[in-house]
Each structure stands twice: as C-alpha cells, then as structure tokens.
C-alpha cells in the first residue's frame, strides 16, 4: 500500500467516525418542506454572521459593511444588501478570513487553480466530517444501498502517476479503488471490465471527461452488468454528449454534483434531473451584471454564502461560475432550492466583442456531427478561433465528412456569436490535459474579458 492510500484511509476513517453524530441531521434534511428549510437556513446564517462579526478578523475590520441583522424575518433581503466578496479580496486578505477560534486539528488545503496565487482554504476536522456525511448520505441514496456504496474513482486527486504501470490503487479491501487516469486505453479494456464486473453494486466517481473516456474504452463490454452502477460526475461541466456515452456504456444513471473547493455550496442532481442546492452547505444567489437576482431562465454569476464552514466563513462570495437561474418547484418532491444549467467557470466562456459571455459553444458547434471523438475550442481573439479535433479511427480520411464538419462548425459559431469570424482547424491525436489534476478543458479563452 502506498503512502497516499494510507493517508486516504486514515482520513476517511477519521471523517466517518467524527461524522457519526451528523448522520441523523443529514438524513432528516431530505424531508424538510420549504418553510422548514428556509427557517433552518435563516438560523444557521444568523449564527454564522454573528460568529464572523465576533471571531473573524476580516469581518471585524469591516464591521460597518457587515452589521448585525436586526430584522430577522427579512434576513434574505438583509443578506442581499451585504457586499459581494471577490476572489481577489479573499486571496489578498486570505489569513484574515480564518476564525480566531480554530478547533484542534484545523488544517488548510490550497486551490489548484491554473492562474494566479493559490488560495489557502481552512477547514476543521468536524467540518470535513460533516461535509463527508452529507455527500455520502446522497451517494447511499442514489446507489440504493444501506451502507456507503463501494466507489470506483477516476479523478486527478488520487491516481497512479503517468509513468506507473499500475492500473489502479485499492483501499479498504477493494471497497474503494482509484483507476489510473492515464491507463484508459484499449489494451486495458478487458482488465478494467474484469475489475468493474466484480462489484454487485457500486458508484463510479470522476470528472465527466474521464468517465466519458472510460465509457469509450469499455465500449459495450459491460452491457450485462452496467445497471449495477451509478455514476457521479464533478469538477467539470457535465456536457450532454458525456452524459450520453457514460449512461450508454457504464451505468444506469449519471448524477451530477456541483460544488467548489471553497466548500460554500453544493448542488446535487435529483431523480428528475434537476440540480438542488443542499440547504446545510450554503445559500446560492445568481446575479446579473447589475448585481440584481436573475430572472428564471437567465444566466448569471454564482454568489455563495457558506453555512457549514465556521473556520473560514465566506459571506456572498463570488465563485467565478456562471449558472442559469431556476425558480419554482421540482416534481421529485424535494423542497431544496433549484438552479438551472451550469455554464461553467468564467474562464470557460467565450467572450464576445460586445462583452457577452457565451457558454457551451463546443457542444453546440459539434452537435450531430459524425467522426469526432473529442474537440477543444480555443479563442484567440473575439473573431479568431482554433478548433482542435480528434477524429474517430478512419474518419480523418473521409474528406467530404471533414469538409462538411468544418463548414457546420464555423456556421454554428457565427450563428451563436452573431458576427463573422475565422476558424482554423487542427487535427490532433489527443487533446492535452492541463494542470496538476489533468482536467480536460473543452474551451480555452485566450482573450481578456
Ligand atoms: Zn428534484
């Protein structure tokens, strides 16, 4: 067993033991009606605000901007009157956001962002355990298991290194395995299928791009056993074509999970396919360019107020993500607030000359096209793009197909952006993964927005 797995096992056992007292609370939260969930959030928020005003240097130093909430009945409009906290402020005054009352064992992790100085994010052992209890309660529900389901992970956090010959790492006697992200190749298909087929029920977890790659590699080899699995995707936008290939080859159902490293919000996909914001982790607002709440169906910036992390309270923190606002109730019966489609990080949105941000351009422009295995759109200027394309075996030689694809892509981009532009196509064997955690970027924007 390697030291990374050993540390993972110790951390997991610690979280599970410390998380035991939270189990009931975490289970009960699914049954709350809207009024109960609103009242619960109000109470936690007011306590968090009081704590921040008393124990956290940044809020103490800016006391006039963070007054006490006198009219608790209208706590939401009070919250909306507080300043928006930018990532820049959190970065510049990083240590000032850490509570003076720090429980024993509080540690920090740093963000893995590819740009700028990493942020230090502090978290106490109990906060880790609480968050762990919340997500595992959800995993248990979607996998229809009494205990935590066995987990097969495919993410850059824990994976054998690129030059390793190991196909996977195993923990807890195989109840948790970490597949090698770099070994998703046809040569390993049979062995990967053998590993997966050992499980009677399990959850696959990973980046959508990595799970889609696994789905491509296994093809239809798992058709007889795939319904034993559900998949949870996180950390990247779950594109429709990824969902389709993961569900057709790997599992009965994909559920998306949308959170952030800052830990101040979490949205989970329900049976009806909608994203619900978990009331115990945070409050999500979606705002337009004038800092006003977006209307139903409008895309806006995500502002999150953390309710779980007292070690580092973040009030109205701008995550840098864009999401569609969604009002109303869900037919699944869960009363938690809804959000609509997740467009992605601001860095994943194409910038137009008139200042608009447009998401999902890669999906729109390659929809219904044949022969494309994977692609990446790079914006060089408002009207200049490079499209990197990996063609399926044999398709590159079909010049009619290549020409008609190129025509369709350029046409779709022009239509979506509303102006003339140039697209240069590059055909490559693979799209390079970026950053330490090997995330796939479908869109790279090299223009200052
Ligand atoms: Zn729902």
């Amino acid at each position: 067993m390697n030291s990374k797995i050993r540390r993972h096992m110790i951390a997991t056992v610690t979280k599970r033991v410390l998380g035991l007292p939270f189990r009931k609370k975490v289970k009960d939260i699914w049954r709350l009606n809207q009024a109960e969930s609103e009242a619960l959030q109000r109470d936690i928020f007011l306590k968090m605000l009081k704590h921040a005003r008393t124990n956290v240097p940044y809020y103490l130093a800016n006391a006039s901007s963070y007054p006490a909430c006198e009219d608790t009945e209208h706590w939401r409009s009070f919250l909306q009157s507080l300043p928006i906290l930018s990532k820049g402020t959190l970065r510049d005054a990083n240590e000032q956001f850490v509570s003076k009352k720090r429980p024993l064992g509080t540690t920090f992790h740093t963000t893995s962002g590819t740009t700028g100085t990493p942020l230090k994010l502090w978290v106490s052992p109990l906060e880790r355990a609480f968050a762990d209890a919340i997500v595992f309660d959800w995993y248990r529900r979607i996998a229809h298991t009494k205990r935590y389901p066995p987990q097969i992970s495919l993410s850059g956090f824990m994976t054998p290194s690129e030059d390793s010959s190991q196909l996977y790492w195993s923990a807890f006697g195989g109840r948790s395995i970490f597949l090698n992200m770099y070994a998703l190749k046809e040569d390993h298909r049979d062995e990967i299928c053998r590993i997966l087929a050992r499980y009677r029920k399990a959850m696959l977890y990973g980046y959508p791009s990595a799970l889609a790659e696994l789905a491509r590699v296994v093809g239809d080899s798992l058709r007889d056993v795939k319904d034993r699995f559900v998949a949870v995707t996180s950390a990247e936008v779950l594109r429709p074509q990824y969902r389709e290939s993961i569900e057709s080859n790997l599992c009965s159902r994909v559920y998306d999970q949308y959170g952030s490293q800052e830990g101040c919000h979490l949205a989970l996909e329900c049976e009806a396919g909608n994203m619900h914001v978990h009331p115990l982790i945070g409050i999500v607002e979606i705002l337009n360019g004038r800092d006003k709440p977006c209307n139903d169906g409008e895309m806006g910036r995500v502002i999150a107020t953390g309710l779980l992390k007292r070690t580092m309270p973040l009030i109205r923190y701008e995550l840098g993500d864009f999401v569609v606002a969604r009002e109303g109730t869900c037919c699944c019966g869960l009363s938690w607030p809804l959000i609509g489609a997740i467009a992605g990080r601001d860095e994943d949105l194409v910038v137009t000359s008139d200042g608009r941000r447009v998401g999902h351009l890669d999906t729109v422009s390659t929809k219904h096209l044949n022969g494309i295995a994977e692609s990446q759109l790079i914006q060089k200027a408002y009207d200049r793009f490079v499209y990197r394309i990996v063609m399926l075996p044999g398709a590159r030689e079909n010049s009619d197909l290549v020409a008609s694809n190129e025509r369709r892509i350029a046409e779709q981009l022009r239509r979506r952006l509303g102006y003339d532009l140039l697209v240069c196509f590059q055909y490559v064997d693979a799209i390079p993964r970026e950053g330490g955690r090997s995330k796939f970027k479908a869109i790279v924007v090299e223009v200052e927005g």
Side-chain angles (χ1 to χ4, degrees):
M1 188 190 300
N2 68 55
S3 60
K4 237 178 157 175
I5 286 289
R6 198 173 311 124
R7 277 202 304 274
H8 163 77
M9 288 176 72
I10 293 168
T12 305
V13 171
T14 310
K15 279 191 290 196
R16 297 289 146 83
V17 172
L18 291 176
L20 286 173
F22 299 121
R23 279 200 179 176
K24 186 173 177 324
K25 191 174 184 179
V26 161
K27 261 188 198 156
D28 289 348
I29 198 81
W30 295 90
R31 290 195 287 269
L32 297 190
N33 63 33
Q34 211 167 348
E36 289 165 338
S37 131
E38 173 83 8
L40 179 73
Q41 287 207 307
R42 178 197 60 207
D43 294 349
I44 307 175
F45 167 70
L46 293 175
K47 274 188 206 149
M48 183 66 86
L49 178 70
K50 192 173 172 200
H51 160 69
R53 285 168 36 81
T54 321
N55 300 312
V56 182
Y58 178 83
Y59 299 102
L60 276 165
N62 294 280
S64 58
S65 305
Y66 293 93
C69 176
E70 305 293 351
D71 181 5
T72 55
E73 206 178 311
H74 297 105
W75 70 281
R76 268 199 194 264
S77 39
F78 168 82
L79 171 66
Q80 284 162 7
S81 72
L82 297 178
I84 291 172
L85 177 61
S86 72
K87 207 160 259 197
T89 306
L90 180 60
R91 188 168 285 137
D92 294 344
N94 205 166
E95 302 289 323
Q96 286 189 50
F97 283 90
V98 189
S99 169
K100 289 188 284 187
K101 282 189 177 166
R102 225 174 291 174
L104 196 69
T106 297
T107 51
F108 66 83
H109 59 275
T110 45
T111 55
S112 60
T114 44
T115 52
T117 331
L119 279 172
K120 273 187 191 171
L121 302 167
W122 294 78
V123 59
S124 75
L126 279 180
E127 288 161 357
R128 279 184 202 276
F130 195 0
D132 181 76
I134 287 171
V135 286
F136 274 90
D137 179 60
W138 179 57
Y139 294 164
R140 204 180 45 74
R141 290 175 73 96
I142 57 175
H144 301 290
T145 51
K146 270 211 164 79
R147 296 171 60 198
Y148 294 146
Q151 193 173 328
I152 298 143
S153 301
L154 200 51
S155 81
F157 289 95
M158 292 273 285
T159 189
S161 66
E162 211 165 345
D163 50 7
S164 166
S165 59
Q166 284 178 300
L167 189 54
Y168 65 93
W169 288 341
S170 171
F172 301 109
R175 281 192 65 81
S176 184
I177 65 167
F178 299 89
L179 278 182
N180 187 338
M181 290 259 289
Y182 309 100
L184 302 178
K185 300 185 180 105
E186 277 75 6
D187 316 351
H188 297 128
R189 177 191 297 142
D190 294 346
E191 201 179 342
I192 291 174
C193 290
R194 258 199 307 279
I195 295 165
L196 293 178
R198 280 187 216 145
Y199 293 90
R200 291 178 55 78
K201 240 176 195 181
M203 194 193 93
L204 296 155
Y205 173 89
Y207 300 152
S209 60
L211 286 173
E213 185 61 11
L214 177 64
R216 191 188 65 75
V217 168
V218 302
D220 66 353
S221 312
L222 290 172
R223 63 186 172 278
D224 297 334
V225 294
K226 82 175 189 72
D227 286 348
R228 299 178 189 174
F229 304 103
V230 291
V232 169
T233 52
S234 100
E236 290 171 356
V237 174
L238 173 59
R239 290 159 203 284
Q241 70 270 36
Y242 287 159
R243 184 191 287 274
E244 204 182 303
S245 62
I246 299 167
E247 284 184 347
S248 70
N249 289 353
L250 283 184
C251 62
S252 59
R253 173 77 198 262
V254 176
Y255 293 88
D256 196 23
Q257 169 182 326
Y258 165 53
S260 63
Q261 298 187 80
E262 288 86 345
C264 47
H265 83 294
L266 181 71
L268 306 173
E269 185 176 330
C270 70
E271 292 287 340
N274 292 319
M275 299 297 287
H276 290 267
V277 179
H278 198 292
L280 290 176
I281 298 196
I283 298 164
V284 167
E285 299 169 61
I286 299 168
L287 303 185
N288 63 22
R290 299 181 310 281
D291 291 348
K292 296 281 177 265
C294 285
N295 293 320
D296 190 25
E298 261 175 20
M299 184 173 82
R301 300 135 59 211
V302 179
I303 312 292
T305 297
L307 295 180
L308 190 147
K309 289 175 71 178
R310 290 169 66 86
T311 308
M312 191 170 191
L314 297 178
I315 298 173
R316 298 200 90 207
Y317 175 63
E318 177 150 12
L319 281 165
D321 288 351
F322 284 78
V323 160
V324 173
R326 172 101 193 249
E327 285 166 11
T329 53
C330 181
C331 60
C332 77
L334 191 60
S335 66
W336 307 353
L338 289 168
I339 56 171
I342 296 146
R345 311 290 299 180
D346 46 7
E347 66 207 35
D348 301 327
L349 305 181
V350 163
V351 190
T352 64
S353 50
D354 56 356
R356 284 174 296 138
R357 313 292 304 239
V358 184
H360 296 302
L361 266 189
D362 56 315
T363 316
V364 170
S365 55
T366 55
K367 204 172 176 181
H368 305 310
L369 298 187
N370 294 321
I372 297 178
E374 197 168 70
S375 64
Q376 182 181 51
L377 177 65
I378 305 163
Q379 184 178 26
K380 295 281 184 188
Y382 293 127
D383 58 355
R384 212 151 43 76
F385 294 85
V386 170
Y387 225 119
R388 282 185 181 157
I389 295 178
V390 181
M391 294 294 278
L392 290 170
R396 178 78 184 98
E397 289 73 45
N398 184 342
S399 55
D400 287 348
L401 176 70
V402 169
S404 83
N405 278 354
E406 291 187 357
R407 219 171 27 245
R408 283 282 304 279
I409 288 173
E411 200 179 282
Q412 287 294 338
L413 289 179
R414 283 186 196 111
R415 186 176 301 167
R416 277 298 298 269
L417 296 179
Y419 51 77
D420 202 20
L421 46 88
L422 258 180
V423 194
C424 162
F425 291 90
Q426 287 178 357
Y427 292 89
V428 292
D429 294 332
I431 308 277
R433 265 50 176 169
E434 291 177 14
R437 286 178 181 161
S438 302
K439 276 207 223 171
F440 172 68
K441 282 180 83 71
I443 308 246
V444 177
V445 177
E446 296 178 355
V447 185
E448 288 289 312

